[in-house]
Amino acid sequence: MTNNFGERLTLALKALTMSRARLAAELGVDKSLVGRWASGAVRPSAHNLERLTRLLAGKLPELTLLDWEREPTEFAALLGINPPGPQSGQPSGLDVPAETLDAALASIRVRGAAYEGFWRATHPAIIAPGRFFHQHGMVRRDESGLLRAELGGPDVRYVGSMLPIDGQVFVAATDSVRHLPCYMIFNIVTMPKIVLMDGLLLTAGNAMRNPSAYPITMERIGDLSGDRDADDAHAAELMRLPQFVQDEALISQAMRDHLIRDFGPEAAKSGGDLLLTVSGSPDLAQLIAARSYGS
């Protein structure tokens, strides 16, 4: 397919004035799974696509399984609604310079499988100084060939594309609960399988929507099974886990010191950092060695 399945599903829901939650209820699936279909993060399995088509065809008699392969403009015309606006021609609607996209896709073609899996992010809780947040979720390649990340908890959900370039990973995501963009940059240690990413998160992280930047790590907590439906279900289960770390003692002192650090003019006088930065592989390797908090 040359275009994202999510575009067509969104058009079908528009034609029916039907919400994702209602579709999920009628299909008997988790609404987060429908959200991943509509966002383009995943395409339904053959079984779910058949069930989805049967359900929608009961309301849109002209719809068949083959119609999901139509171009979005043709699909919209079939449903009698306005076609989508002009497309950028880039995967997943990601608008970046061609050279950047080519570099990321080249890296993914070689080592994309090293990133795929179930992950847990850890970062300071901005709304509760001294405490920590977890977000859980999944990284997997999508139809366009890009790595797609979905992480979250009961009150937050980050969905976006990951661009691995020259030993770093750049993430442009959206909090699909609060509808706010966020950005992440991670360092990695090049290994056959990436187990930990260490970086910075930039977002509007509190009720006042003040721009905030803070350290964040992502730790691999499991591998994909290869069964897309089972992996989707497990990711949805993970994202129902509490956001606040329930047992602070499970976070190692090395990780605690890394995530809540002193920086600025006074720290710089003692040889510390003037600005909030994340150094390269030596510190990351130390964090990997010190991983002692539970899964």
Side-chain angles (χ1 to χ4, degrees):
M1 294 181 62
T2 58
N3 291 282
N4 200 306
F5 173 84
E7 296 177 36
R8 297 166 183 75
L9 179 58
T10 299
L11 288 168
L13 294 179
K14 178 181 178 182
L16 293 169
T17 62
M18 188 180 197
S19 69
R20 297 179 185 181
R22 179 181 159 197
L23 175 62
E26 293 195 20
L27 273 178
V29 300
D30 194 286
K31 65 181 180 181
S32 67
L33 177 57
V34 173
R36 288 195 288 278
W37 293 344
S39 70
V42 298
R43 178 182 169 91
S45 65
H47 173 68
N48 276 337
L49 184 60
E50 184 177 351
R51 293 180 61 233
L52 172 66
T53 305
R54 189 183 307 119
L55 186 151
L56 295 182
K59 309 171 191 294
L60 298 167
E62 62 274 23
L63 183 67
T64 70
L65 270 172
L66 293 178
D67 291 321
W68 296 110
E69 307 298 329
R70 291 176 180 265
E71 292 295 322
T73 51
E74 295 178 0
F75 192 81
L78 174 73
L79 303 182
I81 60 176
N82 292 328
Q87 299 297 306
S88 68
Q90 299 204 33
S92 301
L94 190 65
D95 187 9
V96 298
E99 295 82 1
T100 301
L101 188 60
D102 288 346
L105 287 171
S107 176
I108 293 169
R109 282 192 290 270
V110 174
R111 303 197 68 244
Y115 296 90
E116 292 185 299
F118 299 105
W119 291 81
R120 178 177 62 201
T122 307
H123 62 77
I126 300 300
I127 62 174
R131 297 195 65 186
F132 298 89
F133 266 168
H134 279 331
Q135 274 94 41
H136 297 81
M138 177 170 60
V139 174
R140 186 169 61 189
R141 280 171 286 192
D142 64 17
E143 295 171 347
S144 69
L146 286 176
L147 288 167
R148 190 79 168 174
E150 184 167 2
L151 295 165
D155 301 316
V156 65
R157 187 69 51 85
Y158 296 123
V159 180
S161 297
M162 300 175 61
L163 305 179
I165 301 173
D166 293 337
Q168 291 180 310
V169 177
F170 299 83
V171 183
T174 296
D175 176 350
S176 60
V177 176
R178 297 176 298 168
H179 308 292
L180 295 174
C182 70
Y183 307 95
M184 290 170 265
I185 302 176
F186 293 100
N187 292 321
I188 65 166
V189 172
T190 301
M191 302 173 68
K193 182 183 293 184
I194 306 301
V195 297
L196 189 71
M197 296 187 285
D198 174 35
L200 295 177
L201 167 64
L202 174 63
T203 188
N206 57 25
M208 300 301 293
R209 292 194 175 179
N210 296 323
S212 304
Y214 39 90
I216 179 173
T217 64
M218 283 182 60
E219 178 193 11
R220 175 185 292 274
I221 57 173
D223 297 328
L224 301 184
S225 70
D227 181 327
R228 296 185 73 87
D229 287 343
D231 289 339
D232 288 336
H234 185 54
E237 181 182 0
L238 288 173
M239 286 184 277
R240 286 192 287 269
L241 294 173
Q243 288 170 222
F244 276 108
V245 175
Q246 299 300 296
D247 185 354
E248 300 283 338
L250 293 176
I251 299 181
S252 70
Q253 189 61 47
M255 183 65 71
R256 185 180 299 272
D257 293 342
H258 183 74
L259 293 176
I260 300 180
R261 69 188 73 159
D262 191 16
F263 67 95
E266 294 303 315
K269 292 176 182 178
S270 302
D273 293 328
L274 179 62
L275 302 174
L276 179 59
T277 60
V278 177
S279 58
S281 57
D283 282 355
L284 185 54
Q286 182 181 8
L287 285 175
I288 292 174
R291 287 163 64 204
S292 61
Y293 49 105
S295 58

